[in-house]
Amino acid sequence: MKPLHLVCVVGARPNFMKMAPLLRALAEYPHLRPTLVHTGQHYDKNLSDIFFEEFEMQRPDVYLEVGSGKHGQQTARVLERFEEVLHKGPPDGGQFDRVVVVGDVNSTMAATIAAVKLGVPVAHVEAGLRSFDRTMPEEINRIVTDALADMLLVSEPAGIENLRHEGHAEEQIHLVGNVMIDTLLHQLPKAKHRDILSKNGLKPGQYGIITLHRPANVDRPEVLAKLLDVLAEISQQLPLVFPVHPRTRQRIKDFGLSDRLSRPPGIIALKPLGYLDFLALTSQAKLIVTDSGGLQEESTALGIPCLTARPNTERPITVQQGSSTLVGSDPHKLREGLEAILEGRYKSGSCPELWDGRAAERIARILAETAR
Ligand code: UD1
């Protein structure tokens, strides 16, 4: 079979756990030849390197070092540098046949634009998700990426509906399941052996996890202060572990809110964690409060109650079938949700179809067939 030269693109933290299972699945097909490109959107050890180690993932073949910046800057740097990678072509000569992108970060969209302009088709993993909220940078990234990609690999049924509605042809759309859950199921046995709970004096089922990093929650002092106030209050009853994203840490400092994180027994603020420590914590938590896309899905797969601090979600199955509830940036709704969980009045959910650990295998099979 003739070789198919793929360029797989990663850039920011949520990309690594989606690409790792895919690279493993692609390795089953000798004619698929992936080149891994890391844009460098995230560069801190705990936002990037650690995942390569933990997933035993191949190191990037190319590193674009775009770093942080305004949206336009970051996008432009990826466009310019990724275009050069495509011009250069695969290591053994010839041209790249296809680019594979995952998720909805700036790197995803920028790599897609560069590729299609050069006539290289794009497969988008996690296609079709829509929050219908264009104030979110990720929504713009999703819309642009899907408009340009020709292979749309979808994680939940709503994605199929959205893509149909936007006029994509049926043969472009494939319901494959959730690659992020592939990684979760693959890593869960290892995560159970971590000592992160005991190190922080935590007992299974007797603490909560917080993650907050979206501009809507952390960029306005009055919003962030009210959310932290509720969390600090609840943390007097249930310890809350908060691995703090660098942008959130900066905002807390800028807004003079650091005291909210330091009232014992209170909130346990940590640096961003690696995948295994974080999974050890989430999988044994009583509850999760988050504004992350991935964590909404992971909590649903794990069956852990999750209060999602967003007014909408592009992942509706996590609310309709899963264990998530939208509370927006509203401190009252957050408090009500937390009380319902603590008093045992919270709904139970179930794991969506095809979130079974085999999504990457399905994607690799579809890609392999395009080489025939
Ligand atoms: C990005 C993604 C978001 C994803 C999140 C996961 C976009 C638009 N956003 O948001 O969808 O949920 O990653 O973490 O692509 N910084 C560091 N070290 C790093 C990287 C960033 O300290 O390694 C700091 C910098 O101050 C930077 C800020 O974090 O300016 C924001 O980084 P950026 O990549 O722009 O967006 P995220 O908020 O991380």
mmCIF file with all atom_site columns, all heavy atoms in Angstrom, residues 176-190:
data_model
loop_
_atom_site.group_PDB
_atom_site.id
_atom_site.type_symbol
_atom_site.label_atom_id
_atom_site.label_alt_id
_atom_site.label_comp_id
_atom_site.label_asym_id
_atom_site.label_entity_id
_atom_site.label_seq_id
_atom_site.pdbx_PDB_ins_code
_atom_site.Cartn_x
_atom_site.Cartn_y
_atom_site.Cartn_z
_atom_site.occupancy
_atom_site.B_iso_or_equiv
_atom_site.pdbx_formal_charge
_atom_site.auth_seq_id
_atom_site.auth_comp_id
_atom_site.auth_asym_id
_atom_site.auth_atom_id
_atom_site.pdbx_PDB_model_num
ATOM 1   N N   . VAL A 1 176 ? -17.127 8.827  15.847 1.00 0.00 ? 176 VAL A N   1
ATOM 2   C CA  . VAL A 1 176 ? -16.059 7.886  16.218 1.00 0.00 ? 176 VAL A CA  1
ATOM 3   C C   . VAL A 1 176 ? -15.917 7.699  17.722 1.00 0.00 ? 176 VAL A C   1
ATOM 4   O O   . VAL A 1 176 ? -15.213 6.800  18.176 1.00 0.00 ? 176 VAL A O   1
ATOM 5   C CB  . VAL A 1 176 ? -14.695 8.347  15.648 1.00 0.00 ? 176 VAL A CB  1
ATOM 6   C CG1 . VAL A 1 176 ? -14.666 8.216  14.140 1.00 0.00 ? 176 VAL A CG1 1
ATOM 7   C CG2 . VAL A 1 176 ? -14.374 9.775  16.095 1.00 0.00 ? 176 VAL A CG2 1
ATOM 8   N N   . GLY A 1 177 ? -16.541 8.566  18.513 1.00 0.00 ? 177 GLY A N   1
ATOM 9   C CA  . GLY A 1 177 ? -16.362 8.514  19.967 1.00 0.00 ? 177 GLY A CA  1
ATOM 10  C C   . GLY A 1 177 ? -15.313 9.512  20.418 1.00 0.00 ? 177 GLY A C   1
ATOM 11  O O   . GLY A 1 177 ? -14.928 10.413 19.679 1.00 0.00 ? 177 GLY A O   1
ATOM 12  N N   . ASN A 1 178 ? -14.830 9.316  21.622 1.00 0.00 ? 178 ASN A N   1
ATOM 13  C CA  . ASN A 1 178 ? -14.071 10.365 22.301 1.00 0.00 ? 178 ASN A CA  1
ATOM 14  C C   . ASN A 1 178 ? -12.634 9.917  22.615 1.00 0.00 ? 178 ASN A C   1
ATOM 15  O O   . ASN A 1 178 ? -12.409 9.084  23.496 1.00 0.00 ? 178 ASN A O   1
ATOM 16  C CB  . ASN A 1 178 ? -14.827 10.708 23.590 1.00 0.00 ? 178 ASN A CB  1
ATOM 17  C CG  . ASN A 1 178 ? -14.315 11.962 24.227 1.00 0.00 ? 178 ASN A CG  1
ATOM 18  O OD1 . ASN A 1 178 ? -13.134 12.244 24.185 1.00 0.00 ? 178 ASN A OD1 1
ATOM 19  N ND2 . ASN A 1 178 ? -15.198 12.719 24.830 1.00 0.00 ? 178 ASN A ND2 1
ATOM 20  N N   . VAL A 1 179 ? -11.673 10.498 21.892 1.00 0.00 ? 179 VAL A N   1
ATOM 21  C CA  . VAL A 1 179 ? -10.269 10.100 22.092 1.00 0.00 ? 179 VAL A CA  1
ATOM 22  C C   . VAL A 1 179 ? -9.743  10.474 23.485 1.00 0.00 ? 179 VAL A C   1
ATOM 23  O O   . VAL A 1 179 ? -8.833  9.831  23.998 1.00 0.00 ? 179 VAL A O   1
ATOM 24  C CB  . VAL A 1 179 ? -9.326  10.711 21.026 1.00 0.00 ? 179 VAL A CB  1
ATOM 25  C CG1 . VAL A 1 179 ? -9.415  9.961  19.718 1.00 0.00 ? 179 VAL A CG1 1
ATOM 26  C CG2 . VAL A 1 179 ? -9.567  12.190 20.834 1.00 0.00 ? 179 VAL A CG2 1
ATOM 27  N N   . MET A 1 180 ? -10.320 11.520 24.059 1.00 0.00 ? 180 MET A N   1
ATOM 28  C CA  . MET A 1 180 ? -9.874  11.921 25.395 1.00 0.00 ? 180 MET A CA  1
ATOM 29  C C   . MET A 1 180 ? -10.189 10.807 26.414 1.00 0.00 ? 180 MET A C   1
ATOM 30  O O   . MET A 1 180 ? -9.431  10.570 27.358 1.00 0.00 ? 180 MET A O   1
ATOM 31  C CB  . MET A 1 180 ? -10.602 13.197 25.779 1.00 0.00 ? 180 MET A CB  1
ATOM 32  C CG  . MET A 1 180 ? -10.021 13.873 26.953 1.00 0.00 ? 180 MET A CG  1
ATOM 33  S SD  . MET A 1 180 ? -10.369 15.626 26.823 1.00 0.00 ? 180 MET A SD  1
ATOM 34  C CE  . MET A 1 180 ? -9.040  16.266 27.785 1.00 0.00 ? 180 MET A CE  1
ATOM 35  N N   . ILE A 1 181 ? -11.312 10.155 26.185 1.00 0.00 ? 181 ILE A N   1
ATOM 36  C CA  . ILE A 1 181 ? -11.702 9.067  27.089 1.00 0.00 ? 181 ILE A CA  1
ATOM 37  C C   . ILE A 1 181 ? -10.856 7.817  26.808 1.00 0.00 ? 181 ILE A C   1
ATOM 38  O O   . ILE A 1 181 ? -10.636 6.998  27.699 1.00 0.00 ? 181 ILE A O   1
ATOM 39  C CB  . ILE A 1 181 ? -13.225 8.794  26.982 1.00 0.00 ? 181 ILE A CB  1
ATOM 40  C CG1 . ILE A 1 181 ? -14.010 10.087 27.235 1.00 0.00 ? 181 ILE A CG1 1
ATOM 41  C CG2 . ILE A 1 181 ? -13.663 7.687  27.949 1.00 0.00 ? 181 ILE A CG2 1
ATOM 42  C CD1 . ILE A 1 181 ? -13.684 10.833 28.524 1.00 0.00 ? 181 ILE A CD1 1
ATOM 43  N N   . ASP A 1 182 ? -10.341 7.681  25.589 1.00 0.00 ? 182 ASP A N   1
ATOM 44  C CA  . ASP A 1 182 ? -9.360  6.605  25.321 1.00 0.00 ? 182 ASP A CA  1
ATOM 45  C C   . ASP A 1 182 ? -8.209  6.741  26.311 1.00 0.00 ? 182 ASP A C   1
ATOM 46  O O   . ASP A 1 182 ? -7.776  5.769  26.935 1.00 0.00 ? 182 ASP A O   1
ATOM 47  C CB  . ASP A 1 182 ? -8.749  6.734  23.917 1.00 0.00 ? 182 ASP A CB  1
ATOM 48  C CG  . ASP A 1 182 ? -9.715  6.387  22.789 1.00 0.00 ? 182 ASP A CG  1
ATOM 49  O OD1 . ASP A 1 182 ? -10.911 6.211  23.056 1.00 0.00 ? 182 ASP A OD1 1
ATOM 50  O OD2 . ASP A 1 182 ? -9.242  6.304  21.633 1.00 0.00 ? 182 ASP A OD2 1
ATOM 51  N N   . THR A 1 183 ? -7.684  7.964  26.408 1.00 0.00 ? 183 THR A N   1
ATOM 52  C CA  . THR A 1 183 ? -6.538  8.193  27.298 1.00 0.00 ? 183 THR A CA  1
ATOM 53  C C   . THR A 1 183 ? -6.938  7.969  28.751 1.00 0.00 ? 183 THR A C   1
ATOM 54  O O   . THR A 1 183 ? -6.212  7.332  29.508 1.00 0.00 ? 183 THR A O   1
ATOM 55  C CB  . THR A 1 183 ? -5.976  9.618  27.085 1.00 0.00 ? 183 THR A CB  1
ATOM 56  O OG1 . THR A 1 183 ? -5.409  9.656  25.779 1.00 0.00 ? 183 THR A OG1 1
ATOM 57  C CG2 . THR A 1 183 ? -4.924  9.978  28.105 1.00 0.00 ? 183 THR A CG2 1
ATOM 58  N N   . LEU A 1 184 ? -8.098  8.451  29.122 1.00 0.00 ? 184 LEU A N   1
ATOM 59  C CA  . LEU A 1 184 ? -8.546  8.279  30.513 1.00 0.00 ? 184 LEU A CA  1
ATOM 60  C C   . LEU A 1 184 ? -8.585  6.790  30.887 1.00 0.00 ? 184 LEU A C   1
ATOM 61  O O   . LEU A 1 184 ? -8.024  6.382  31.914 1.00 0.00 ? 184 LEU A O   1
ATOM 62  C CB  . LEU A 1 184 ? -9.924  8.924  30.689 1.00 0.00 ? 184 LEU A CB  1
ATOM 63  C CG  . LEU A 1 184 ? -10.492 8.903  32.107 1.00 0.00 ? 184 LEU A CG  1
ATOM 64  C CD1 . LEU A 1 184 ? -11.269 10.186 32.380 1.00 0.00 ? 184 LEU A CD1 1
ATOM 65  C CD2 . LEU A 1 184 ? -11.405 7.729  32.342 1.00 0.00 ? 184 LEU A CD2 1
ATOM 66  N N   . LEU A 1 185 ? -9.206  5.984  30.036 1.00 0.00 ? 185 LEU A N   1
ATOM 67  C CA  . LEU A 1 185 ? -9.341  4.561  30.372 1.00 0.00 ? 185 LEU A CA  1
ATOM 68  C C   . LEU A 1 185 ? -7.980  3.854  30.358 1.00 0.00 ? 185 LEU A C   1
ATOM 69  O O   . LEU A 1 185 ? -7.718  2.979  31.171 1.00 0.00 ? 185 LEU A O   1
ATOM 70  C CB  . LEU A 1 185 ? -10.319 3.880  29.397 1.00 0.00 ? 185 LEU A CB  1
ATOM 71  C CG  . LEU A 1 185 ? -11.752 4.411  29.477 1.00 0.00 ? 185 LEU A CG  1
ATOM 72  C CD1 . LEU A 1 185 ? -12.626 3.791  28.398 1.00 0.00 ? 185 LEU A CD1 1
ATOM 73  C CD2 . LEU A 1 185 ? -12.363 4.147  30.852 1.00 0.00 ? 185 LEU A CD2 1
ATOM 74  N N   . HIS A 1 186 ? -7.124  4.299  29.449 1.00 0.00 ? 186 HIS A N   1
ATOM 75  C CA  . HIS A 1 186 ? -5.796  3.703  29.331 1.00 0.00 ? 186 HIS A CA  1
ATOM 76  C C   . HIS A 1 186 ? -4.939  4.012  30.572 1.00 0.00 ? 186 HIS A C   1
ATOM 77  O O   . HIS A 1 186 ? -4.157  3.184  31.019 1.00 0.00 ? 186 HIS A O   1
ATOM 78  C CB  . HIS A 1 186 ? -5.136  4.305  28.075 1.00 0.00 ? 186 HIS A CB  1
ATOM 79  C CG  . HIS A 1 186 ? -3.866  3.646  27.662 1.00 0.00 ? 186 HIS A CG  1
ATOM 80  N ND1 . HIS A 1 186 ? -3.832  2.404  27.060 1.00 0.00 ? 186 HIS A ND1 1
ATOM 81  C CD2 . HIS A 1 186 ? -2.583  4.057  27.742 1.00 0.00 ? 186 HIS A CD2 1
ATOM 82  C CE1 . HIS A 1 186 ? -2.579  2.092  26.792 1.00 0.00 ? 186 HIS A CE1 1
ATOM 83  N NE2 . HIS A 1 186 ? -1.799  3.071  27.198 1.00 0.00 ? 186 HIS A NE2 1
ATOM 84  N N   . GLN A 1 187 ? -5.082  5.217  31.115 1.00 0.00 ? 187 GLN A N   1
ATOM 85  C CA  . GLN A 1 187 ? -4.207  5.676  32.199 1.00 0.00 ? 187 GLN A CA  1
ATOM 86  C C   . GLN A 1 187 ? -4.784  5.425  33.595 1.00 0.00 ? 187 GLN A C   1
ATOM 87  O O   . GLN A 1 187 ? -4.057  5.550  34.580 1.00 0.00 ? 187 GLN A O   1
ATOM 88  C CB  . GLN A 1 187 ? -3.924  7.188  32.047 1.00 0.00 ? 187 GLN A CB  1
ATOM 89  C CG  . GLN A 1 187 ? -3.241  7.572  30.746 1.00 0.00 ? 187 GLN A CG  1
ATOM 90  C CD  . GLN A 1 187 ? -1.793  7.119  30.661 1.00 0.00 ? 187 GLN A CD  1
ATOM 91  O OE1 . GLN A 1 187 ? -1.152  6.844  31.664 1.00 0.00 ? 187 GLN A OE1 1
ATOM 92  N NE2 . GLN A 1 187 ? -1.272  7.035  29.439 1.00 0.00 ? 187 GLN A NE2 1
ATOM 93  N N   . LEU A 1 188 ? -6.070  5.104  33.672 1.00 0.00 ? 188 LEU A N   1
ATOM 94  C CA  . LEU A 1 188 ? -6.716  5.001  34.990 1.00 0.00 ? 188 LEU A CA  1
ATOM 95  C C   . LEU A 1 188 ? -6.023  3.993  35.932 1.00 0.00 ? 188 LEU A C   1
ATOM 96  O O   . LEU A 1 188 ? -5.779  4.322  37.103 1.00 0.00 ? 188 LEU A O   1
ATOM 97  C CB  . LEU A 1 188 ? -8.204  4.665  34.808 1.00 0.00 ? 188 LEU A CB  1
ATOM 98  C CG  . LEU A 1 188 ? -9.146  4.931  35.966 1.00 0.00 ? 188 LEU A CG  1
ATOM 99  C CD1 . LEU A 1 188 ? -9.027  6.354  36.488 1.00 0.00 ? 188 LEU A CD1 1
ATOM 100 C CD2 . LEU A 1 188 ? -10.603 4.643  35.547 1.00 0.00 ? 188 LEU A CD2 1
ATOM 101 N N   . PRO A 1 189 ? -5.675  2.791  35.454 1.00 0.00 ? 189 PRO A N   1
ATOM 102 C CA  . PRO A 1 189 ? -5.014  1.849  36.389 1.00 0.00 ? 189 PRO A CA  1
ATOM 103 C C   . PRO A 1 189 ? -3.729  2.431  36.963 1.00 0.00 ? 189 PRO A C   1
ATOM 104 O O   . PRO A 1 189 ? -3.455  2.273  38.156 1.00 0.00 ? 189 PRO A O   1
ATOM 105 C CB  . PRO A 1 189 ? -4.719  0.622  35.501 1.00 0.00 ? 189 PRO A CB  1
ATOM 106 C CG  . PRO A 1 189 ? -5.652  0.725  34.337 1.00 0.00 ? 189 PRO A CG  1
ATOM 107 C CD  . PRO A 1 189 ? -5.893  2.199  34.118 1.00 0.00 ? 189 PRO A CD  1
ATOM 108 N N   . LYS A 1 190 ? -2.948  3.146  36.135 1.00 0.00 ? 190 LYS A N   1
ATOM 109 C CA  . LYS A 1 190 ? -1.697  3.739  36.622 1.00 0.00 ? 190 LYS A CA  1
ATOM 110 C C   . LYS A 1 190 ? -1.986  4.868  37.619 1.00 0.00 ? 190 LYS A C   1
ATOM 111 O O   . LYS A 1 190 ? -1.300  5.029  38.625 1.00 0.00 ? 190 LYS A O   1
ATOM 112 C CB  . LYS A 1 190 ? -0.916  4.348  35.441 1.00 0.00 ? 190 LYS A CB  1
ATOM 113 C CG  . LYS A 1 190 ? 0.195   3.469  34.906 1.00 0.00 ? 190 LYS A CG  1
ATOM 114 C CD  . LYS A 1 190 ? 1.156   4.271  34.041 1.00 0.00 ? 190 LYS A CD  1
ATOM 115 C CE  . LYS A 1 190 ? 0.780   4.196  32.569 1.00 0.00 ? 190 LYS A CE  1
ATOM 116 N NZ  . LYS A 1 190 ? 1.585   5.052  31.693 1.00 0.00 ? 190 LYS A NZ  1
#
